[in-house]
Amino acid sequence: MKISKGKRLLILGIVLVIIDQVIKVLVKTNMSIGEHFNVLGNWFQILFIENEGMAFGMKFGGAVGKLLLSLFRIALCGVLCWWITKLVRGKKPVPTGVLVGLTLITAGAFGNIIDCLFYGMVFSASEPGGVAAFGGSYAPFLFGRVVDMFYFPLWRWPDWVPLIGGDIFFEPVFNFADSCVTVGAIYLILFQYKFFSAEDK
């Protein structure tokens, strides 16, 4: 039985979201905030932190900002799902790479939305020295914190380098969902820009 392109994209998106959530739940229910361990030397670590919802641990203006960010993410996912559906069902052929790139971005955004929507209601708070558990509650709907864990402190700049001396080259801690969004966006920009240029014309 042949699976349609739309169903293949849906399966891809679901698999990516499941991978993201499995990693996050494992980290959240087995590690305390700030706990870390090395995966490949010192330059690849699993470091458990939480953020208010922006990629790579960035912050966005308190409770109101958090609410707006959650609502924006939901709206963005809705628009992306509509766009992908439109491209798949359209009469004009669309490169598979475009659809896969958009699916990566959508799945990544949705993965982080799940954290914001539900984690505050289904987990107890993660604290230094304390591991979260199912069945608790630390925040209302839309106000959960996003779980991050991938940390790549590749090297420190020499102290003599102006402005950045002593700083870590790549300091953000991120998650699988962030990776999906980043890889999808970079892929579309580098390899599928002709499609979007043609669409604009």
Side-chain angles (χ1 to χ4, degrees):
M1 187 177 81
K2 187 176 180 180
I3 302 176
S4 68
K5 183 179 288 187
K7 288 182 179 178
R8 291 198 299 269
L9 292 171
L10 180 60
I11 291 170
L12 172 62
I14 290 172
V15 168
L16 293 173
V17 172
I18 289 173
I19 292 171
D20 175 64
Q21 290 300 305
V22 167
I23 294 171
K24 288 174 176 174
V25 170
L26 286 174
V27 168
K28 188 165 180 66
T29 57
N30 289 280
M31 299 176 69
S32 58
I33 286 286
E35 185 179 351
H36 68 93
F37 61 87
N38 293 341
V39 178
L40 292 173
N42 291 325
W43 62 270
F44 175 25
Q45 303 175 19
I46 299 297
L47 168 61
F48 176 29
I49 68 168
E50 291 181 317
N51 69 69
E52 297 302 322
M54 292 193 73
F56 301 110
M58 294 182 286
K59 295 184 178 180
F60 184 67
V64 174
K66 169 69 175 174
L67 176 61
L68 292 175
L69 184 61
S70 294
L71 293 175
F72 171 76
R73 266 215 182 94
I74 294 170
L76 177 62
C77 263
V79 169
L80 286 170
C81 288
W82 168 82
W83 191 15
I84 293 170
T85 302
K86 181 182 177 184
L87 291 175
V88 169
R89 293 179 177 175
K91 296 180 180 179
K92 183 179 177 181
V94 178
T96 300
V98 170
L99 298 171
V100 170
L102 290 174
T103 300
L104 282 168
I105 295 171
T106 306
F110 190 72
N112 284 335
I113 283 174
I114 293 174
D115 299 29
C116 295
L117 266 59
F118 303 114
Y119 274 30
M121 299 189 302
V122 299
F123 288 111
S124 59
S126 296
E127 299 174 351
V131 177
F134 282 109
S137 177
Y138 70 84
F141 183 66
L142 293 175
F143 286 88
R145 292 188 290 270
V146 174
V147 175
D148 290 330
M149 75 294 295
F150 297 140
Y151 183 41
F152 290 86
L154 300 178
W155 73 80
R156 285 188 180 274
W157 293 103
D159 291 335
W160 52 264
V161 177
L163 302 177
I164 58 174
D167 291 344
I168 294 174
F169 166 69
F170 186 73
E171 203 162 15
V173 183
F174 57 98
N175 58 42
F176 186 80
D178 296 332
S179 302
C180 289
V181 173
T182 303
V183 170
I186 291 175
Y187 172 76
L188 291 176
I189 291 169
L190 292 180
F191 301 107
Q192 301 295 339
Y193 62 91
K194 289 182 180 179
F195 172 81
F196 295 101
S197 299
E199 285 288 297
D200 290 339
K201 292 178 183 179

